Coordinates of all heavy atoms in Angstrom, one line a residue:
F1 N 78.4 83.2 71.2 CA 78.9 84.5 71.5 C 77.7 85.5 71.5 O 78.0 86.7 71.5 CB 80.0 84.9 70.6 CG 81.2 84.1 70.8 CD1 81.7 83.2 69.9 CD2 82.0 84.4 71.9 CE1 82.8 82.5 70.1 CE2 83.1 83.7 72.2 CZ 83.5 82.7 71.3
T2 N 76.5 85.1 71.3 CA 75.4 86.1 71.3 C 75.2 86.8 72.6 O 74.7 87.9 72.7 CB 74.1 85.4 70.8 OG1 73.8 84.4 71.8 CG2 74.2 84.8 69.4
G3 N 75.6 86.2 73.7 CA 75.5 86.8 75.0 C 76.5 87.9 75.3 O 76.3 88.7 76.2
L4 N 77.5 88.0 74.5 CA 78.5 89.0 74.7 C 78.0 90.4 74.3 O 78.6 91.4 74.8 CB 79.8 88.7 73.9 CG 80.7 87.6 74.5 CD1 81.9 87.4 73.5 CD2 81.1 87.9 75.9
G5 N 77.0 90.5 73.5 CA 76.4 91.8 73.1 C 76.0 92.6 74.3 O 76.1 93.8 74.3
G6 N 75.5 92.0 75.3 CA 75.0 92.7 76.5 C 76.2 93.3 77.3 O 76.0 94.2 78.1
F7 N 77.4 92.7 77.2 CA 78.5 93.2 77.9 C 78.9 94.6 77.4 O 79.4 95.4 78.1 CB 79.7 92.3 77.8 CG 80.9 92.6 78.6 CD1 80.9 92.3 79.9 CD2 82.0 93.3 78.0 CE1 82.0 92.7 80.7 CE2 83.0 93.6 78.8 CZ 83.1 93.3 80.1
F8 N 78.7 94.8 76.1 CA 79.2 96.1 75.5 C 78.2 97.1 75.3 O 78.5 98.2 74.9 CB 79.9 95.8 74.1 CG 81.1 94.9 74.3 CD1 81.0 93.6 73.9 CD2 82.2 95.4 74.8 CE1 82.1 92.7 74.0 CE2 83.4 94.6 74.9 CZ 83.3 93.2 74.5
V9 N 76.9 96.8 75.6 CA 75.9 97.9 75.5 C 76.0 98.8 76.7 O 76.7 98.6 77.7 CB 74.5 97.2 75.6 CG1 74.2 96.4 74.4 CG2 74.2 96.5 76.9
K10 N 75.3 100.0 76.6 CA 75.4 101.0 77.6 C 75.0 100.4 78.9 O 73.9 99.8 79.0 CB 74.6 102.2 77.2 CG 74.7 103.3 78.2 CD 73.9 104.5 77.7 CE 74.1 105.7 78.7 NZ 73.5 106.9 78.3
G11 N 75.8 100.5 79.9 CA 75.5 100.0 81.2 C 76.2 98.6 81.4 O 76.2 98.1 82.6
G12 N 76.7 98.0 80.4 CA 77.3 96.7 80.5 C 78.5 96.7 81.4 O 78.7 95.9 82.3
L13 N 79.4 97.6 81.1 CA 80.6 97.7 82.0 C 80.3 98.1 83.4 O 80.9 97.7 84.3 CB 81.6 98.8 81.4 CG 82.5 98.3 80.2 CD1 83.3 99.4 79.7 CD2 83.3 97.1 80.7
N14 N 79.2 99.0 83.6 CA 78.8 99.4 84.9 C 78.3 98.2 85.7 O 78.6 98.0 86.9 CB 77.8 100.5 84.8 CG 78.3 101.8 84.4 OD1 79.5 102.1 84.6 ND2 77.5 102.6 83.7
Y15 N 77.6 97.3 85.0 CA 77.0 96.1 85.6 C 78.2 95.2 86.1 O 78.2 94.8 87.3 CB 76.1 95.4 84.7 CG 75.7 94.0 85.2 CD1 74.8 93.9 86.2 CD2 76.3 92.9 84.7 CE1 74.4 92.6 86.7 CE2 76.0 91.6 85.2 CZ 75.0 91.5 86.2 OH 74.7 90.3 86.7
W16 N 79.1 94.9 85.2 CA 80.2 94.0 85.6 C 81.2 94.6 86.6 O 81.6 93.9 87.5 CB 81.0 93.6 84.3 CG 80.2 92.6 83.5 CD1 79.6 92.8 82.4 CD2 80.0 91.2 83.8 NE1 78.9 91.7 81.9 CE2 79.2 90.7 82.8 CE3 80.4 90.4 84.9 CZ2 78.8 89.4 82.8 CZ3 80.0 89.1 84.9 CH2 79.2 88.6 83.8
S17 N 81.4 95.9 86.5 CA 82.3 96.5 87.5 C 81.7 96.5 88.9 O 82.3 96.3 89.9 CB 82.7 97.9 87.0 OG 81.6 98.8 87.0
G18 N 80.3 96.8 88.9 CA 79.6 96.7 90.2 C 79.6 95.3 90.7 O 79.7 95.1 91.9
L19 N 79.4 94.3 89.9 CA 79.3 92.9 90.3 C 80.7 92.5 90.8 O 80.7 91.7 91.8 CB 78.9 92.1 89.1 CG 78.7 90.6 89.4 CD1 77.5 90.4 90.3 CD2 78.5 89.8 88.1
L20 N 81.8 92.9 90.2 CA 83.1 92.5 90.7 C 83.7 93.4 91.8 O 84.7 93.0 92.3 CB 84.0 92.5 89.4 CG 83.7 91.5 88.3 CD1 84.6 91.7 87.1 CD2 83.8 90.1 88.9
G21 N 83.0 94.5 92.0 CA 83.5 95.4 93.1 C 84.7 96.2 92.7 O 85.5 96.6 93.5
V22 N 84.9 96.5 91.4 CA 86.0 97.3 90.9 C 85.4 98.5 90.1 O 84.2 98.4 89.7 CB 87.0 96.6 90.1 CG1 87.6 95.5 90.9 CG2 86.3 96.0 88.9
G23 N 86.2 99.5 89.9 CA 85.7 100.6 89.1 C 85.8 100.3 87.6 O 86.4 99.3 87.2
R24 N 85.1 101.1 86.8 CA 85.1 100.9 85.3 C 86.5 100.9 84.7 O 86.8 100.0 83.9 CB 84.3 101.9 84.6 CG 82.8 101.6 84.6 CD 82.1 102.6 83.8 NE 82.1 102.2 82.4 CZ 81.7 103.0 81.4 NH1 81.2 104.2 81.6 NH2 81.8 102.6 80.2
M25 N 87.3 101.8 85.2 CA 88.7 101.9 84.6 C 89.5 100.7 85.0 O 90.3 100.2 84.1 CB 89.4 103.2 85.1 CG 90.7 103.4 84.5 SD 90.7 103.5 82.7 CE 90.2 105.2 82.4
E26 N 89.4 100.2 86.2 CA 90.1 99.1 86.6 C 89.7 97.8 85.8 O 90.5 97.0 85.4 CB 89.9 98.8 88.1 CG 90.7 99.7 89.0 CD 89.9 101.0 89.3 OE1 88.7 101.0 88.9 OE2 90.5 101.9 89.9
L27 N 88.4 97.7 85.5 CA 87.9 96.6 84.7 C 88.4 96.7 83.3 O 88.9 95.7 82.7 CB 86.4 96.6 84.7 CG 85.7 95.5 83.9 CD1 86.1 94.1 84.5 CD2 84.2 95.6 83.9
V28 N 88.4 97.9 82.7 CA 88.9 98.0 81.3 C 90.4 97.7 81.3 O 90.9 97.0 80.4 CB 88.6 99.5 80.8 CG1 89.4 99.7 79.5 CG2 87.1 99.6 80.6
L29 N 91.2 98.2 82.3 CA 92.6 97.9 82.3 C 92.9 96.5 82.5 O 93.8 95.9 81.9 CB 93.3 98.8 83.4 CG 93.4 100.3 83.1 CD1 93.9 101.0 84.3 CD2 94.2 100.5 81.9
A30 N 92.1 95.8 83.3 CA 92.3 94.4 83.5 C 92.0 93.6 82.3 O 92.8 92.7 81.9 CB 91.4 93.9 84.7
L31 N 90.9 93.9 81.6 CA 90.6 93.3 80.3 C 91.7 93.5 79.2 O 92.1 92.6 78.5 CB 89.2 93.7 79.8 CG 88.1 93.2 80.6 CD1 86.8 93.8 80.1 CD2 88.0 91.7 80.6
L32 N 92.2 94.8 79.2 CA 93.3 95.1 78.3 C 94.5 94.3 78.6 O 95.2 93.8 77.7 CB 93.5 96.6 78.3 CG 94.6 97.1 77.4 CD1 94.2 96.9 75.9 CD2 94.9 98.6 77.6
G33 N 94.9 94.2 79.9 CA 96.0 93.4 80.3 C 95.9 92.0 79.9 O 96.9 91.4 79.4
I34 N 94.7 91.4 80.1 CA 94.5 90.0 79.8 C 94.7 89.8 78.3 O 95.3 88.8 77.8 CB 93.2 89.5 80.3 CG1 93.2 89.4 81.8 CG2 92.8 88.2 79.7 CD1 91.8 89.3 82.5
T35 N 94.1 90.7 77.5 CA 94.2 90.6 76.1 C 95.6 90.7 75.6 O 96.1 89.9 74.7 CB 93.4 91.8 75.4 OG1 92.0 91.7 75.9 CG2 93.4 91.7 73.9
I36 N 96.4 91.6 76.2 CA 97.8 91.7 75.8 C 98.6 90.5 76.2 O 99.4 90.0 75.4 CB 98.5 93.0 76.4 CG1 97.9 94.2 75.8 CG2 100.0 93.0 76.3 CD1 98.3 95.5 76.5
M37 N 98.3 89.9 77.3 CA 99.0 88.7 77.7 C 98.7 87.5 76.8 O 99.5 86.7 76.5 CB 98.7 88.3 79.2 CG 99.4 89.2 80.2 SD 99.3 88.7 81.9 CE 97.5 88.7 82.1
E38 N 97.4 87.4 76.4 CA 97.0 86.4 75.5 C 97.7 86.5 74.1 O 98.1 85.6 73.5 CB 95.5 86.3 75.3 CG 94.8 85.8 76.5 CD 95.2 84.4 76.9 OE1 95.3 83.6 75.9 OE2 95.3 84.1 78.1
I39 N 97.8 87.8 73.6 CA 98.5 88.0 72.3 C 100.0 87.6 72.4 O 100.5 87.0 71.5 CB 98.4 89.5 71.9 CG1 96.9 89.8 71.5 CG2 99.3 89.9 70.8 CD1 96.6 91.3 71.3
V40 N 100.6 88.0 73.5 CA 102.0 87.6 73.7 C 102.2 86.1 73.8 O 103.1 85.5 73.2 CB 102.6 88.3 75.0 CG1 104.0 87.7 75.3 CG2 102.7 89.8 74.8
Q41 N 101.3 85.4 74.5 CA 101.3 84.0 74.6 C 101.1 83.3 73.2 O 101.8 82.4 72.8 CB 100.2 83.4 75.5 CG 100.3 81.9 75.7 CD 99.2 81.4 76.6 OE1 98.3 82.2 77.1 NE2 99.2 80.2 76.9
R42 N 100.3 83.9 72.4 CA 100.0 83.4 71.0 C 101.3 83.6 70.2 O 101.7 82.7 69.4 CB 98.9 84.1 70.4 CG 98.5 83.6 69.0 CD 97.8 82.3 69.0 NE 96.6 82.3 69.9 CZ 95.5 81.7 69.6 NH1 95.4 81.0 68.5 NH2 94.5 81.6 70.4
I43 N 101.9 84.7 70.3 CA 103.2 85.0 69.6 C 104.3 84.0 70.0 O 105.0 83.5 69.2 CB 103.6 86.4 69.7 CG1 102.7 87.4 69.0 CG2 105.1 86.6 69.3 CD1 103.0 88.8 69.3
D44 N 104.3 83.8 71.3 CA 105.4 82.9 71.9 C 105.1 81.4 71.4 O 106.1 80.7 71.1 CB 105.4 82.9 73.4 CG 106.6 82.2 74.0 OD1 107.6 82.3 73.4 OD2 106.4 81.6 75.1
L45 N 103.9 81.0 71.3 CA 103.6 79.7 70.8 C 104.0 79.5 69.3 O 104.5 78.4 68.9 CB 102.2 79.3 71.0 CG 101.8 79.0 72.5 CD1 100.2 78.8 72.6 CD2 102.5 77.8 73.0
R46 N 103.7 80.5 68.5 CA 103.9 80.4 67.1 C 105.4 80.6 66.7 O 105.9 80.0 65.8 CB 103.1 81.4 66.3 CG 101.6 81.0 66.4 CD 100.8 81.9 65.5 NE 99.4 81.5 65.5 CZ 98.4 82.1 65.0 NH1 98.7 83.3 64.3 NH2 97.2 81.7 65.0
H47 N 106.0 81.7 67.3 CA 107.3 82.1 66.8 C 108.4 82.1 67.9 O 109.6 82.1 67.6 CB 107.3 83.5 66.3 CG 106.2 83.7 65.2 ND1 106.3 83.2 64.0 CD2 105.0 84.4 65.3 CE1 105.2 83.6 63.3 NE2 104.4 84.3 64.1
G48 N 108.0 82.0 69.1 CA 109.0 82.2 70.2 C 109.1 83.7 70.5 O 109.6 84.4 69.6
A49 N 108.8 84.2 71.6 CA 108.8 85.6 71.9 C 110.2 86.3 71.7 O 110.3 87.3 71.1 CB 108.2 85.9 73.2
P50 N 111.2 85.7 72.3 CA 112.5 86.3 72.1 C 113.0 86.4 70.7 O 113.5 87.4 70.2 CB 113.5 85.4 72.9 CG 112.6 84.7 73.9 CD 111.3 84.5 73.2
Q51 N 112.7 85.4 69.9 CA 113.1 85.4 68.5 C 112.2 86.4 67.7 O 112.7 87.1 66.8 CB 112.9 84.0 67.8 CG 113.9 83.0 68.3 CD 113.4 82.3 69.6 OE1 112.3 82.5 70.1 NE2 114.3 81.6 70.2
W52 N 110.9 86.5 68.1 CA 110.1 87.5 67.4 C 110.5 88.9 67.7 O 110.6 89.8 66.8 CB 108.6 87.3 67.9 CG 107.6 88.2 67.2 CD1 107.1 88.0 66.0 CD2 107.1 89.4 67.7 NE1 106.2 89.0 65.7 CE2 106.3 89.9 66.7 CE3 107.3 90.2 68.9 CZ2 105.6 91.1 66.9 CZ3 106.6 91.4 69.0 CH2 105.8 91.8 68.0
V53 N 110.9 89.2 69.0 CA 111.4 90.5 69.3 C 112.7 90.8 68.6 O 112.9 91.9 68.1 CB 111.5 90.7 70.8 CG1 112.2 92.0 71.2 CG2 110.1 90.6 71.5
A54 N 113.6 89.8 68.6 CA 114.9 90.0 67.9 C 114.7 90.3 66.4 O 115.6 90.9 65.8 CB 115.8 88.8 68.2
S55 N 113.7 89.8 65.8 CA 113.5 89.9 64.4 C 112.9 91.3 64.0 O 112.8 91.6 62.8 CB 112.6 88.8 63.8 OG 111.2 89.0 64.3
R56 N 112.5 92.1 64.9 CA 111.9 93.4 64.7 C 113.0 94.4 64.4 O 114.2 94.2 64.8 CB 111.1 93.9 65.9 CG 109.9 93.0 66.3 CD 108.9 93.0 65.2 NE 108.7 91.6 64.7 CZ 108.1 91.2 63.7 NH1 107.4 92.1 63.0 NH2 108.0 90.0 63.3
S57 N 112.7 95.5 63.8 CA 113.7 96.6 63.6 C 114.0 97.2 64.9 O 113.2 97.1 65.9 CB 113.1 97.6 62.6 OG 112.0 98.3 63.2
P58 N 115.2 97.9 65.0 CA 115.6 98.5 66.3 C 114.5 99.5 66.8 O 114.3 99.5 68.1 CB 116.9 99.2 65.9 CG 117.4 98.5 64.8 CD 116.2 98.0 64.0
W59 N 113.9 100.3 66.0 CA 113.0 101.3 66.5 C 111.7 100.6 67.1 O 111.1 101.0 68.1 CB 112.6 102.3 65.5 CG 111.8 101.9 64.4 CD1 112.2 101.4 63.2 CD2 110.3 101.8 64.3 NE1 111.1 101.0 62.4 CE2 110.0 101.3 63.1 CE3 109.3 102.1 65.2 CZ2 108.7 101.1 62.7 CZ3 108.0 101.9 64.8 CH2 107.7 101.4 63.6
Q60 N 111.3 99.4 66.5 CA 110.2 98.7 67.0 C 110.6 98.0 68.4 O 109.7 98.0 69.3 CB 109.8 97.6 66.1 CG 109.1 98.2 64.8 CD 108.8 97.1 63.8 OE1 109.6 96.1 63.6 NE2 107.6 97.2 63.1
R61 N 111.8 97.5 68.5 CA 112.2 96.9 69.7 C 112.3 97.9 70.8 O 111.8 97.7 71.9 CB 113.6 96.2 69.6 CG 113.5 94.9 68.8 CD 114.8 94.1 69.0 NE 116.0 94.9 68.7 CZ 116.7 94.9 67.5 NH1 116.2 94.2 66.5 NH2 117.8 95.6 67.4
W62 N 112.8 99.1 70.5 CA 112.9 100.1 71.6 C 111.5 100.7 71.9 O 111.3 101.0 73.1 CB 113.9 101.2 71.1 CG 115.3 100.8 71.4 CD1 116.2 100.3 70.4 CD2 115.9 100.7 72.6 NE1 117.3 100.0 71.1 CE2 117.2 100.2 72.4 CE3 115.5 101.0 74.0 CZ2 118.1 100.0 73.4 CZ3 116.5 100.7 75.0 CH2 117.7 100.3 74.7
A63 N 110.6 100.7 71.0 CA 109.3 101.1 71.3 C 108.6 100.1 72.3 O 107.9 100.5 73.2 CB 108.4 101.3 70.1
L64 N 108.9 98.8 72.0 CA 108.4 97.8 72.9 C 109.0 97.9 74.3 O 108.3 97.8 75.3 CB 108.6 96.4 72.3 CG 108.2 95.2 73.1 CD1 106.7 95.1 73.3 CD2 108.7 93.9 72.5
Y65 N 110.3 98.0 74.4 CA 111.0 98.2 75.6 C 110.5 99.4 76.4 O 110.3 99.3 77.6 CB 112.5 98.3 75.5 CG 113.2 97.1 74.8 CD1 114.3 97.3 74.0 CD2 112.6 95.8 74.8 CE1 114.9 96.2 73.3 CE2 113.2 94.8 74.2 CZ 114.4 95.0 73.4 OH 115.0 93.9 72.8
T66 N 110.3 100.5 75.7 CA 109.9 101.7 76.4 C 108.4 101.5 76.9 O 108.1 102.0 78.0 CB 109.9 102.9 75.4 OG1 111.2 103.0 74.9 CG2 109.5 104.2 76.0
G67 N 107.6 100.9 76.1 CA 106.2 100.6 76.6 C 106.2 99.7 77.8 O 105.4 99.9 78.7
L68 N 107.1 98.7 77.8 CA 107.1 97.8 79.0 C 107.6 98.6 80.3 O 107.0 98.4 81.3 CB 108.1 96.7 78.7 CG 107.5 95.6 77.8 CD1 108.7 94.6 77.4 CD2 106.3 94.9 78.3
V69 N 108.6 99.4 80.1 CA 109.1 100.2 81.3 C 108.0 101.2 81.7 O 107.8 101.3 82.9 CB 110.4 100.9 80.9 CG1 110.8 101.9 82.0 CG2 111.5 99.8 80.8
A70 N 107.4 101.8 80.7 CA 106.4 102.8 81.1 C 105.2 102.1 81.8 O 104.6 102.7 82.7 CB 105.9 103.5 79.8
S71 N 104.8 100.9 81.4 CA 103.7 100.3 82.0 C 104.1 99.9 83.5 O 103.2 99.9 84.4 CB 103.2 99.1 81.2 OG 104.2 98.1 81.2
I72 N 105.3 99.5 83.7 CA 105.8 99.2 85.1 C 105.7 100.4 85.9 O 105.3 100.4 87.1 CB 107.2 98.5 85.0 CG1 107.1 97.1 84.4 CG2 107.7 98.4 86.5 CD1 108.4 96.5 84.1
V73 N 106.2 101.5 85.4 CA 106.3 102.8 86.2 C 104.8 103.3 86.4 O 104.5 103.7 87.5 CB 107.1 103.8 85.5 CG1 106.9 105.2 86.1 CG2 108.6 103.4 85.5
F74 N 104.0 103.2 85.4 CA 102.6 103.7 85.5 C 101.7 102.9 86.4 O 101.0 103.4 87.2 CB 102.0 103.9 84.1 CG 100.7 104.5 84.1 CD1 100.5 105.9 84.4 CD2 99.6 103.8 83.8 CE1 99.3 106.5 84.4 CE2 98.3 104.4 83.8 CZ 98.2 105.7 84.1
F75 N 101.8 101.6 86.2 CA 100.9 100.7 87.0 C 101.5 100.1 88.2 O 100.8 99.4 89.0 CB 100.4 99.5 86.1 CG 99.6 100.0 84.9 CD1 100.1 99.9 83.6 CD2 98.4 100.6 85.1 CE1 99.3 100.3 82.5 CE2 97.6 101.1 84.0 CZ 98.1 100.9 82.7
G76 N 102.8 100.3 88.5 CA 103.4 99.7 89.6 C 103.0 100.4 90.9 O 102.6 101.5 91.0
S77 N 103.0 99.6 92.0 CA 102.7 100.2 93.4 C 104.0 100.1 94.1 O 104.4 99.1 94.7 CB 101.7 99.3 94.1 OG 100.9 98.6 93.3
F78 N 104.7 101.3 94.2 CA 106.0 101.3 94.8 C 106.0 101.8 96.2 O 106.9 101.5 97.0 CB 106.9 102.3 94.0 CG 107.1 101.8 92.5 CD1 106.4 102.5 91.5 CD2 107.8 100.7 92.2 CE1 106.6 102.1 90.2 CE2 107.9 100.3 90.9 CZ 107.3 101.0 89.9
Y79 N 105.0 102.5 96.7 CA 105.0 103.0 98.0 C 103.8 102.5 98.9 O 103.2 103.2 99.6 CB 104.9 104.6 97.9 CG 106.0 105.1 97.2 CD1 105.8 105.7 95.9 CD2 107.3 105.2 97.7 CE1 106.9 106.2 95.2 CE2 108.4 105.7 97.0 CZ 108.1 106.2 95.7 OH 109.2 106.7 95.0
Q80 N 103.6 101.2 98.8 CA 102.6 100.6 99.6 C 103.1 100.4 101.0 O 104.3 100.0 101.2 CB 102.1 99.2 99.0 CG 101.2 99.4 97.9 CD 100.6 98.0 97.5 OE1 101.3 97.0 97.7 NE2 99.5 98.0 96.8
T81 N 102.2 100.5 102.0 CA 102.6 100.3 103.4 C 102.4 98.9 103.9 O 102.8 98.6 104.9 CB 102.0 101.4 104.3 OG1 100.5 101.2 104.1 CG2 102.4 102.8 103.9
T82 N 101.7 98.1 103.1 CA 101.3 96.8 103.5 C 102.6 95.9 103.3 O 103.4 96.1 102.4 CB 100.2 96.2 102.7 OG1 100.5 96.2 101.3 CG2 98.9 97.0 102.9
E83 N 102.7 94.9 104.1 CA 103.8 94.0 104.0 C 103.6 93.0 102.9 O 102.5 92.8 102.4 CB 103.9 93.2 105.3 CG 104.4 94.0 106.5 CD 104.7 93.1 107.7 OE1 104.9 91.9 107.5 OE2 104.7 93.7 108.8
F84 N 104.7 92.4 102.5 CA 104.7 91.4 101.4 C 103.9 90.2 101.9 O 104.0 89.8 103.1 CB 106.1 91.0 101.1 CG 106.2 90.0 99.9 CD1 105.8 90.4 98.7 CD2 106.8 88.8 100.1 CE1 105.9 89.5 97.6 CE2 107.0 87.9 99.0 CZ 106.5 88.3 97.8
I85 N 103.0 89.7 101.1 CA 102.0 88.7 101.6 C 102.6 87.4 102.1 O 102.1 86.8 103.0 CB 101.0 88.4 100.4 CG1 99.8 87.5 101.0 CG2 101.7 87.7 99.3 CD1 98.7 87.4 100.0
Y86 N 103.8 87.0 101.6 CA 104.4 85.8 102.1 C 105.1 85.9 103.4 O 105.6 84.9 103.9 CB 105.3 85.2 101.0 CG 104.6 84.8 99.7 CD1 104.7 85.4 98.5 CD2 103.7 83.7 99.8 CE1 104.0 85.1 97.4 CE2 103.0 83.4 98.7 CZ 103.1 84.0 97.5 OH 102.4 83.6 96.4
F87 N 105.2 87.1 103.9 CA 105.9 87.2 105.3 C 105.0 86.6 106.4 O 105.5 86.3 107.4 CB 106.1 88.7 105.6 CG 107.3 89.3 104.8 CD1 107.3 90.6 104.6 CD2 108.3 88.5 104.3 CE1 108.4 91.2 103.9 CE2 109.4 89.0 103.7 CZ 109.4 90.4 103.4
Q88 N 103.7 86.4 106.1 CA 102.8 85.9 107.1 C 103.0 84.4 107.3 O 102.4 83.8 108.2 CB 101.4 86.3 106.9 CG 100.8 85.7 105.6 CD 99.4 86.3 105.3 OE1 98.8 86.8 106.2 NE2 99.0 86.1 104.1
F89 N 103.6 83.7 106.3 CA 103.7 82.2 106.4 C 105.0 81.8 107.1 O 106.0 82.2 106.9 CB 103.6 81.6 105.0 CG 102.3 81.9 104.4 CD1 102.2 82.8 103.3 CD2 101.1 81.3 104.8 CE1 101.0 83.0 102.7 CE2 99.9 81.6 104.3 CZ 99.8 82.4 103.2

């Protein structure tokens, strides 16, 4: 993991975002999304995600539900003019 230090130094994100052809914010959001999915997968393997959510207090469950809905509304693309990709097959 000694090579990871260069990723976080000044210019590291700029280098990777330029290399991948995305903006810095898109790269950070993609890395954050991958991290969250890995955490959920780990919880599901250890405890089972539905059981883990059910074992939380009501205010924690509703905070999770609200966060999920907010992320769909915030990150969703609802008004794209491109067709669904599978229509071409």
Side-chain angles (χ1 to χ4, degrees):
F1 291 109
T2 58
L4 286 178
F7 186 80
F8 297 105
V9 297
K10 185 175 181 176
L13 277 178
N14 290 331
Y15 170 75
W16 284 105
S17 65
L19 184 69
L20 296 172
V22 297
R24 276 184 84 188
M25 184 57 83
E26 287 87 6
L27 181 61
V28 169
L29 289 175
L31 292 173
L32 181 65
I34 291 169
T35 303
I36 290 171
M37 286 190 299
E38 288 298 321
I39 290 170
V40 169
Q41 182 180 6
R42 183 73 57 141
I43 290 171
D44 191 34
L45 286 174
R46 289 187 180 174
H47 308 288
Q51 292 84 8
W52 183 81
V53 171
S55 70
R56 304 290 118 192
S57 66
W59 70 270
Q60 289 174 323
R61 284 195 309 264
W62 279 102
L64 178 65
Y65 301 150
T66 303
L68 288 172
V69 170
S71 66
I72 291 170
V73 169
F74 184 71
F75 295 115
S77 334
F78 300 108
Y79 300 107
Q80 283 187 334
T81 58
T82 57
E83 290 187 21
F84 187 59
I85 190 170
Y86 294 113
F87 286 155
Q88 63 185 342
F89 296 111

